[in-house]
Amino acid sequence: MLAALNLFNNIVELFIWAIILSALMSWLIGFNILNINNKLIYIIADFLNRLTEPFLSPIRRILPYLGGIDLSPIVLILLLIFLKDLVNNNYYYFIN
């Protein structure tokens, strides 16, 4: 059971890093630091967008419009940390 908990924790951590990288990539593309005409940049940005967008879009619908400031990655990261802590605390509660 501990292996499954470790797998869950690692998947959540990787997904948090994917959210951070997706936000950074969108900023770098938005400020024309990275060119989306580059095939590698396009593939990475498309992969990160396809991975994170299904989880970010429902949060964007709930959050109020803040004039171009997107807080949905922060909200999703906080929710994932809460979920990870909840699972870990319940696991350690049930084994004792």
Side-chain angles (χ1 to χ4, degrees):
M1 190 66 179
L2 188 59
L5 183 65
N6 286 335
L7 178 66
F8 174 76
N9 288 335
N10 289 334
I11 289 172
V12 169
E13 288 293 326
L14 285 174
F15 194 65
I16 288 172
W17 280 109
I19 294 166
I20 293 169
L21 288 176
S22 176
L24 287 176
M25 288 281 290
S26 71
W27 292 343
L28 293 175
I29 291 170
F31 289 123
N32 288 327
I33 295 172
L34 293 179
N35 190 356
I36 201 162
N37 291 331
N38 185 343
K39 183 106 172 139
L40 179 64
I41 299 298
Y42 176 78
I43 290 172
I44 293 171
D46 186 51
F47 171 74
L48 289 173
N49 189 34
R50 288 177 188 234
L51 183 66
T52 59
E53 193 60 32
F55 298 97
L56 292 173
S57 60
I59 296 172
R60 286 188 187 119
R61 283 191 294 256
I62 295 170
L63 290 178
Y65 180 69
L66 297 174
I69 298 173
D70 187 15
L71 296 178
S72 60
I74 296 170
V75 172
L76 183 58
I77 289 171
L78 290 174
L79 287 173
L80 286 172
I81 291 171
F82 173 74
L83 177 69
K84 186 176 121 181
D85 288 344
L86 185 69
V87 169
N88 288 330
N89 288 339
N90 283 336
Y91 172 76
Y92 292 118
Y93 175 74
F94 285 122
I95 63 169
N96 288 334

